[in-house]
Each structure stands twice: as C-alpha cells, then as structure tokens.
Amino acid sequence: MTHLTPDELIDAMEGLLAADRQGHLATCEKCQAQLAGLSLTLSEVQQTSIPEPSSLFWHHFSERVGAAIGQDAASGTNWPSWLGWQILVPLGAVALVILGLMVTVPKPEVRDASVAPLAPQALDNWAMVTELVGDIDLDVASAAGVIEPGVAEEAVLQLTAEEQQELTRLLKAELQRAKS
Amino acid sequence: MTHESVLPVRPWTVAVVKPLAELDDAELVSATIGGSREAFDVIVVRHRRAVYQVCYRFVNNHEDASDLAQDAFVRAWRGMKNFKGESALATWLYRIAVNVCLNRVSAKAVTTEPLESTEHVADVRAEGAQHAMIREERAAAVRKAIAELPNKQRATLILRAYHDMSHQQIADVLGSSVGAVKANFFHALANLKKNLGSEP
C-alpha cells in the first residue's frame, strides 16, 4: 500500500484520516515517523508566543488608527456620501443617452447659423459626463443590471429635496468648470 | 468614557440603548455602517491584539507589525459597508490583515528583529534565568523561521496554528482550494522541521 500523502498526513494529524488509510498508518513506521515529526513541530510552533506590547502601545495604536481614518476621510472625495456610484452611474447613463440623441438624431435642415455653435456645447457636456463616470465600466455596470430604464429617474426621486438641490448644484458647478 | 450605541432606529420604535462595549460584533458593524466612528473604535479595541499578532507572525518585528495592523484597520473602515456578515468579523479582519501583509512583503524585504533584541518578560524566579533565556532564544528562532517561509505557507501556518481557522476558511482568505491549503500547511511544517531541527 502507498504511503500517506501530504494531505493525508495533515488529516491524520488532525484526527481526520479516512478509516481505510488508518490501517496503513498503524503498520508503516515511515509514515508514523513523519507524522510524529510534523506533530512535534506544530506543537512547538503553537507554544511559541510573541512579545506582548505594552498597554501604552495599545492606547496609542487606537489613537493612530483613529487619526489615520480621519486623515483618510479628509483626503477623500468632497462628494457627499449619498452621491455614490449607485446614483452617478444611472445619471451618467441617462446623460450619455441624451448626448447620443443630441448627436445622432437628424435635425431638420435649418440654414440658421445659430445651429453651428451646438457642437462645442455637446463637447462640454461630453467632458462633464466623462468626468462624472470616468472610472466606471459601463459594460460591467450594465451586465450587473445596474443600468435599467427608469433607474436614474427613480434614484433621483428617492433623494430628498435637499439632496436634489445639492445634486443640481454639483452638476451646475461641473458644467461651469467644464466650460471655463 | 462610555460610548453608547447609535444604532439607527425608526421613529415609532423604542430604542434600546446599550453601551457600545456591550454590543456584539454584528451590532457594532451595523452601527459603523450607520456612521458611528465610536462603534468602529470598539471594534478596533476588541480585535487589535489578534490583528497585530497575525501581522507580527508575518513580519517578525514590532514596527512593521504595528504599521500593517493599522493599515488593516483603515482598510476595514473603508470596506465595512462591503462586509456581509457571511463570516465572523474576526475572520474578515484576518483576511484583510493577511492581504495587507502579503502585499507588503512582496513589495519590500522584511526586516526581522535580531534575536538578542527581542524583549520578553520571563519570570526568572519561577525558572532559572539560563533556562528562560534558552527557551526565549528558541522561540525567537521559531518566529524567525516562520517569517522566512514562503508567503502562502506562512499565511496558512499562522491562520491554522494560531487562529484555529479551518482549512476551508483559510482557503477563502487566500483564494485557494482546501487541497492547496493542506499542501501548504504540510510544506510549512516540513520546512520548519528541517530548518529548526527536530529537538525543541
């Protein structure tokens, strides 16, 4: 019969060796010696403690963690916490659709010269949308079912009046920034 | 100072306010996600020793272990809303700590503390000073040998031997199979046995 495999030696050390292999272990001195060596090493490892830091260290440690979290929060985005990707992705998607319609839907031929300046504005809008959803993979979001018809409207409707005002303010600010 | 829980409650329910320190981990997680920094502070106090020990076993020096443990808690704070409660909070924190350690050790060489600089309070009245010194030297050698194991073997050994995690839990932490965990555990012990010699 073959000797115990590494897996089986670990099982044997933890008392989980299959019954049909215990017969081999009972008669094989080589496997018994290997098992004893592993068990002895594990026992020594488990008895090895590490130096215990002082109670003062633990106090400072908690303070350090608190300070690091505070710093982390301060250096993070200025966007409100409720304005996460759940809101931005649907909004971005809607904005893309609108932008697409603006670009692709044929317009009646009007010889009015005022039509021409629309192109730079579309570019401004595009820059804003790109910035808003820059790091978000829309394919992934779509595959995950995040973007569905009506989701953006529903997300906006779920905002409080104050949050809607803030969203409006932020979008206007982005538009201004993109134009400047 | 005793912090009290700030669990979000609906206006028509009666809030049962308990001191934060009396909340279980799941309640603390819920309060943290609800925005309570104090609740997270309690989590830190409750789990800091275990997380620090995972890190110390990994790098075998206090300075790096302290930095790594701090980093692990900052990451836990950032990712708390992603904690689904499918595992114990401690297991989730170990996972973060192990990942932080694996990222760090792959980025820089680990500096282990010299054996003679390791401080350890031994009760020299209970056992002879010489015996205590020999025992501590051996312990330092074991810690050093563990810190020099390959990453996966080291992580497996630490989580199995010191934190009593199952093979399946370790496999989840390391993103590997139970078979791979057992193999790593076997090779970790075999390498230690070879490097340390069989006599304790």
Side-chain angles (χ1 to χ4, degrees), chain A residues 99 102 117-131 174-180:
Chain A
L99 187 64
M102 286 171 64
L118 276 178
Q121 187 184 353
L123 286 174
D124 286 345
N125 292 343
W126 176 253
M128 180 200 76
V129 171
T130 305
E131 188 157 330
E174 285 297 326
L175 275 171
Q176 286 294 336
R177 199 165 63 82
K179 283 178 181 175
S180 62

Short mmCIF file of all heavy atoms in Angstrom, two decimals, chain A residues 99 102 117-131 174-180:
data_model
loop_
_atom_site.label_atom_id
_atom_site.label_comp_id
_atom_site.label_asym_id
_atom_site.label_seq_id
_atom_site.Cartn_x
_atom_site.Cartn_y
_atom_site.Cartn_z
N LEU A 99 -27.06 62.75 -24.70
CA LEU A 99 -25.99 63.25 -25.55
C LEU A 99 -25.99 62.53 -26.89
O LEU A 99 -25.84 63.15 -27.96
CB LEU A 99 -24.64 63.06 -24.85
CG LEU A 99 -23.44 63.69 -25.54
CD1 LEU A 99 -23.59 65.20 -25.57
CD2 LEU A 99 -22.16 63.31 -24.83
N MET A 102 -28.72 63.81 -28.96
CA MET A 102 -28.37 65.13 -29.47
C MET A 102 -27.47 65.04 -30.69
O MET A 102 -27.58 65.81 -31.63
CB MET A 102 -27.67 65.96 -28.38
CG MET A 102 -28.60 66.45 -27.30
SD MET A 102 -27.67 67.17 -25.93
CE MET A 102 -26.92 68.56 -26.74
N PRO A 117 -23.04 76.54 -33.32
CA PRO A 117 -22.36 76.52 -32.02
C PRO A 117 -22.76 75.36 -31.13
O PRO A 117 -22.21 75.21 -30.04
CB PRO A 117 -22.77 77.87 -31.39
CG PRO A 117 -23.16 78.72 -32.51
CD PRO A 117 -23.74 77.80 -33.53
N LEU A 118 -23.71 74.51 -31.50
CA LEU A 118 -24.11 73.39 -30.65
C LEU A 118 -22.98 72.40 -30.43
O LEU A 118 -22.90 71.74 -29.40
CB LEU A 118 -25.31 72.65 -31.26
CG LEU A 118 -26.69 73.23 -30.95
CD1 LEU A 118 -27.75 72.43 -31.67
CD2 LEU A 118 -26.95 73.25 -29.45
N ALA A 119 -22.13 72.25 -31.43
CA ALA A 119 -21.07 71.24 -31.31
C ALA A 119 -20.15 71.45 -30.10
O ALA A 119 -19.95 70.52 -29.32
CB ALA A 119 -20.27 71.20 -32.60
N PRO A 120 -19.63 72.63 -29.86
CA PRO A 120 -18.79 72.83 -28.67
C PRO A 120 -19.55 72.56 -27.39
O PRO A 120 -19.00 72.02 -26.43
CB PRO A 120 -18.37 74.30 -28.76
CG PRO A 120 -18.63 74.71 -30.16
CD PRO A 120 -19.66 73.83 -30.72
N GLN A 121 -20.85 72.91 -27.37
CA GLN A 121 -21.63 72.66 -26.15
C GLN A 121 -21.74 71.15 -25.91
O GLN A 121 -21.63 70.67 -24.77
CB GLN A 121 -23.02 73.26 -26.32
CG GLN A 121 -23.84 73.20 -25.04
CD GLN A 121 -25.24 73.70 -25.22
OE1 GLN A 121 -25.60 74.22 -26.27
NE2 GLN A 121 -26.04 73.54 -24.19
N ALA A 122 -21.95 70.42 -27.01
CA ALA A 122 -22.02 68.96 -26.86
C ALA A 122 -20.71 68.42 -26.33
O ALA A 122 -20.69 67.51 -25.49
CB ALA A 122 -22.33 68.33 -28.23
N LEU A 123 -19.64 69.01 -26.79
CA LEU A 123 -18.33 68.57 -26.29
C LEU A 123 -18.20 68.87 -24.79
O LEU A 123 -17.64 68.08 -24.03
CB LEU A 123 -17.21 69.26 -27.07
CG LEU A 123 -17.00 68.72 -28.49
CD1 LEU A 123 -15.96 69.58 -29.21
CD2 LEU A 123 -16.56 67.27 -28.46
N ASP A 124 -18.70 70.02 -24.39
CA ASP A 124 -18.68 70.36 -22.96
C ASP A 124 -19.46 69.34 -22.16
O ASP A 124 -19.02 68.86 -21.11
CB ASP A 124 -19.30 71.75 -22.73
CG ASP A 124 -18.35 72.86 -23.18
OD1 ASP A 124 -17.16 72.54 -23.39
OD2 ASP A 124 -18.80 74.00 -23.32
N ASN A 125 -20.65 69.01 -22.68
CA ASN A 125 -21.47 68.01 -21.98
C ASN A 125 -20.75 66.68 -21.88
O ASN A 125 -20.78 65.98 -20.88
CB ASN A 125 -22.81 67.82 -22.71
CG ASN A 125 -23.68 69.06 -22.60
OD1 ASN A 125 -23.42 69.91 -21.75
ND2 ASN A 125 -24.67 69.18 -23.46
N TRP A 126 -20.14 66.33 -23.00
CA TRP A 126 -19.41 65.05 -23.03
C TRP A 126 -18.29 65.04 -21.98
O TRP A 126 -18.10 64.06 -21.27
CB TRP A 126 -18.84 64.84 -24.42
CG TRP A 126 -18.01 63.61 -24.52
CD1 TRP A 126 -16.68 63.52 -24.61
CD2 TRP A 126 -18.49 62.26 -24.48
NE1 TRP A 126 -16.28 62.22 -24.64
CE2 TRP A 126 -17.38 61.41 -24.55
CE3 TRP A 126 -19.76 61.69 -24.39
CZ2 TRP A 126 -17.49 60.03 -24.54
CZ3 TRP A 126 -19.87 60.31 -24.38
CH2 TRP A 126 -18.74 59.51 -24.45
N ALA A 127 -17.57 66.16 -21.86
CA ALA A 127 -16.48 66.26 -20.88
C ALA A 127 -17.03 66.08 -19.47
O ALA A 127 -16.45 65.39 -18.64
CB ALA A 127 -15.78 67.60 -21.01
N MET A 128 -18.18 66.69 -19.24
CA MET A 128 -18.78 66.58 -17.90
C MET A 128 -19.16 65.13 -17.60
O MET A 128 -18.85 64.60 -16.53
CB MET A 128 -20.02 67.47 -17.81
CG MET A 128 -20.70 67.41 -16.45
SD MET A 128 -22.39 67.96 -16.50
CE MET A 128 -23.17 66.55 -17.24
N VAL A 129 -19.81 64.50 -18.57
CA VAL A 129 -20.25 63.11 -18.36
C VAL A 129 -19.04 62.20 -18.17
O VAL A 129 -19.01 61.34 -17.29
CB VAL A 129 -21.11 62.63 -19.54
CG1 VAL A 129 -21.39 61.15 -19.43
CG2 VAL A 129 -22.41 63.40 -19.59
N THR A 130 -18.02 62.43 -18.99
CA THR A 130 -16.81 61.60 -18.87
C THR A 130 -16.21 61.73 -17.49
O THR A 130 -15.79 60.75 -16.88
CB THR A 130 -15.77 62.05 -19.93
OG1 THR A 130 -16.38 62.00 -21.18
CG2 THR A 130 -14.57 61.13 -19.90
N GLU A 131 -16.20 62.94 -16.99
CA GLU A 131 -15.62 63.16 -15.66
C GLU A 131 -16.46 62.49 -14.58
O GLU A 131 -15.97 61.91 -13.63
CB GLU A 131 -15.49 64.65 -15.40
CG GLU A 131 -14.72 64.95 -14.13
CD GLU A 131 -14.14 66.35 -14.15
OE1 GLU A 131 -13.84 66.83 -15.25
OE2 GLU A 131 -13.98 66.92 -13.10
N GLU A 174 -20.07 71.54 -12.11
CA GLU A 174 -19.28 70.78 -13.08
C GLU A 174 -19.40 71.40 -14.47
O GLU A 174 -18.43 71.48 -15.22
CB GLU A 174 -19.73 69.32 -13.10
CG GLU A 174 -19.26 68.51 -11.90
CD GLU A 174 -17.74 68.42 -11.85
OE1 GLU A 174 -17.10 68.38 -12.91
OE2 GLU A 174 -17.21 68.41 -10.73
N LEU A 175 -20.62 71.83 -14.82
CA LEU A 175 -20.82 72.45 -16.13
C LEU A 175 -20.01 73.73 -16.25
O LEU A 175 -19.35 73.97 -17.27
CB LEU A 175 -22.31 72.77 -16.32
CG LEU A 175 -23.17 71.63 -16.86
CD1 LEU A 175 -24.65 72.00 -16.80
CD2 LEU A 175 -22.79 71.34 -18.31
N GLN A 176 -20.04 74.52 -15.19
CA GLN A 176 -19.28 75.77 -15.20
C GLN A 176 -17.80 75.48 -15.36
O GLN A 176 -17.09 76.14 -16.11
CB GLN A 176 -19.51 76.53 -13.88
CG GLN A 176 -20.88 77.19 -13.79
CD GLN A 176 -21.07 78.31 -14.81
OE1 GLN A 176 -20.11 78.90 -15.27
NE2 GLN A 176 -22.31 78.57 -15.21
N ARG A 177 -17.34 74.46 -14.59
CA ARG A 177 -15.92 74.14 -14.61
C ARG A 177 -15.51 73.65 -15.99
O ARG A 177 -14.46 73.98 -16.52
CB ARG A 177 -15.63 73.07 -13.56
CG ARG A 177 -14.17 72.99 -13.17
CD ARG A 177 -14.02 72.20 -11.89
NE ARG A 177 -14.45 70.83 -12.03
CZ ARG A 177 -13.67 69.88 -12.56
NH1 ARG A 177 -12.48 70.16 -12.98
NH2 ARG A 177 -14.12 68.65 -12.64
N ALA A 178 -16.39 72.83 -16.60
CA ALA A 178 -16.08 72.29 -17.92
C ALA A 178 -16.03 73.40 -18.97
O ALA A 178 -15.24 73.35 -19.91
CB ALA A 178 -17.12 71.24 -18.29
N LYS A 179 -16.89 74.41 -18.78
CA LYS A 179 -16.92 75.50 -19.76
C LYS A 179 -15.73 76.42 -19.61
O LYS A 179 -15.25 76.99 -20.57
CB LYS A 179 -18.21 76.31 -19.59
CG LYS A 179 -19.43 75.60 -20.17
CD LYS A 179 -20.68 76.42 -19.92
CE LYS A 179 -21.91 75.71 -20.47
NZ LYS A 179 -23.14 76.42 -20.14
N SER A 180 -15.28 76.59 -18.35
CA SER A 180 -14.22 77.58 -18.11
C SER A 180 -12.87 77.04 -18.55
O SER A 180 -12.68 75.88 -18.76
CB SER A 180 -14.18 77.93 -16.63
OG SER A 180 -13.88 76.77 -15.88
#
